[in-house]
Amino acid sequence: MKASIKLFLIYILMQLLGSLAAVPLVLVWQFVTTGSLDAGAADAQTLLPGSLLALFFSVWYLWKKGYLDDYRQYAPTSAGYLGWTALLLVGSSILMEWLMGFMDFLPDWQEDVFGQMMDSWAGVLTICLLAPVVEELMFRGAITRELLRRYSPGVAIVVSGFFFGLIHFNPVQSVYAFMLGLLLAWLYWRTRSLVPGIVFHVLNNSIATWMTLQYPDADNTGDLLGADAYAAVVCGAAIVFAFALWRLTRYPKTGEAGWLPLPQDSTQTDERR
């Protein structure tokens, strides 16, 4: 557990370092382009570069500590597996949205932050692609991997999901991220590959971003479809989710015949960490 907690705290530290490192860069850019300094404007302008720097620092740390070295975690599984993963995402995203409808009492502390991020193509790219990839490298390729080496799959998946929810520091988003983290950790446990989780995560963020940009006044899909149609969609999503999950469990786990080899961590790597 120590290694996982350490990685979790390191990720938080990288977020702080990214924000701090972005401040002088933004101030210099502001002075060069406008000839003056505006602290208020600079504070808002650090959001995107701070996020990008935090992602860069996180990848750099994982690379330095050897978490990116095992090529087997980048194995693409199979087209069929990725297809069922995409269907799992479709079903689960609708079901999780429906469940979140019962938790509308939870505050959303970062609504304005995401609004600012989605004002530019770079922000959208960060939300939909860069952040999901880096989060999979950290939370599945490092944290979940460490947990699976020390605990049973059930414990590792739940703890990993808890860490993933907690890192979002936003009540409404943390609950959703916890549920999402359970599925992502489960996918990693089954395959020891980051690819299914990346596909799942990228699709999840991309769909959510597209819906927000396309229908800014709608809180959920039910606002677009109406109560009866939404109820039918939720029932259909439950069927799709259950069938996709069942199909994915039909594939052998990592290390079984005809599937991906089980990554083996060397003693040298263990000692280094």
Side-chain angles (χ1 to χ4, degrees):
M1 186 69 74
K2 282 184 181 180
S4 300
I5 294 174
K6 177 183 175 182
L7 286 164
F8 177 77
L9 295 176
I10 287 293
Y11 191 72
I12 295 176
L13 177 62
M14 295 307 171
Q15 309 306 303
L16 296 174
L17 288 177
S19 298
L20 291 174
V23 172
L25 296 177
V26 168
L27 289 174
V28 169
W29 174 256
Q30 192 180 81
F31 184 77
V32 169
T33 55
T34 67
S36 62
L37 297 177
D38 185 339
D43 183 58
Q45 293 168 356
T46 58
L47 179 60
L48 180 56
S51 299
L52 292 172
L53 285 171
L55 296 178
F56 171 78
F57 291 152
S58 298
V59 172
W60 174 82
Y61 177 84
L62 293 174
W63 172 69
K64 290 290 289 184
K65 293 300 180 179
Y67 285 101
L68 307 182
D69 293 348
D70 194 338
Y71 71 91
R72 288 166 292 189
Q73 65 183 347
Y74 310 115
T77 61
S78 68
Y81 197 92
L82 294 180
W84 287 112
T85 297
L87 284 177
L88 185 75
L89 176 276
V90 172
S92 64
S93 61
I94 295 173
L95 288 176
M96 289 190 293
E97 179 196 71
W98 174 71
L99 289 172
M100 292 305 298
F102 297 98
M103 304 180 194
D104 54 3
F105 57 88
L106 293 173
D108 186 354
W109 296 340
Q110 297 186 5
E111 185 176 4
D112 293 339
V113 171
F114 282 99
Q116 292 178 41
M117 290 285 285
M118 287 187 284
D119 282 342
S120 67
W121 66 267
V124 171
L125 180 65
T126 299
I127 294 172
C128 296
L129 180 61
L130 300 181
V133 171
V134 175
E135 287 177 357
E136 289 310 301
L137 292 173
M138 175 62 79
F139 284 90
R140 260 58 65 179
I143 292 177
T144 306
R145 178 177 173 180
E146 289 288 350
L147 289 167
L148 286 169
R149 291 174 57 227
R150 293 168 172 81
Y151 302 99
S152 66
V155 171
I157 289 169
V158 171
V159 174
S160 173
F162 173 76
F163 280 148
F164 190 59
L166 190 61
I167 197 63
H168 288 81
F169 302 115
N170 186 19
V172 65
Q173 193 182 7
S174 291
V175 173
Y176 187 94
F178 170 69
M179 295 186 288
L180 184 68
L182 295 178
L183 288 172
L184 291 167
W186 181 82
L187 286 169
Y188 181 77
W189 166 60
R190 292 289 303 185
T191 64
R192 293 303 201 279
S193 171
L194 293 170
V195 175
I198 289 174
V199 170
F200 191 107
H201 204 157
V202 168
L203 286 175
N204 176 80
N205 286 23
S206 298
I207 292 172
T209 300
W210 182 83
M211 290 289 292
T212 300
L213 293 174
Q214 193 72 16
Y215 306 103
D217 296 327
D219 292 329
N220 54 50
T221 308
D223 292 341
L224 302 175
L225 301 177
D228 293 339
Y230 186 53
V233 168
V234 170
C235 291
I239 294 172
V240 170
F241 173 80
F243 190 66
L245 190 65
W246 175 78
R247 284 294 300 155
L248 289 172
T249 60
R250 303 295 292 174
Y251 287 82
K253 294 197 302 293
T254 301
E256 296 180 1
W259 202 229
L260 301 176
L262 181 66
Q264 298 293 330
D265 294 316
S266 65
T267 303
Q268 180 181 3
T269 302
D270 291 343
E271 292 174 351
R272 185 172 64 245
R273 294 173 193 167

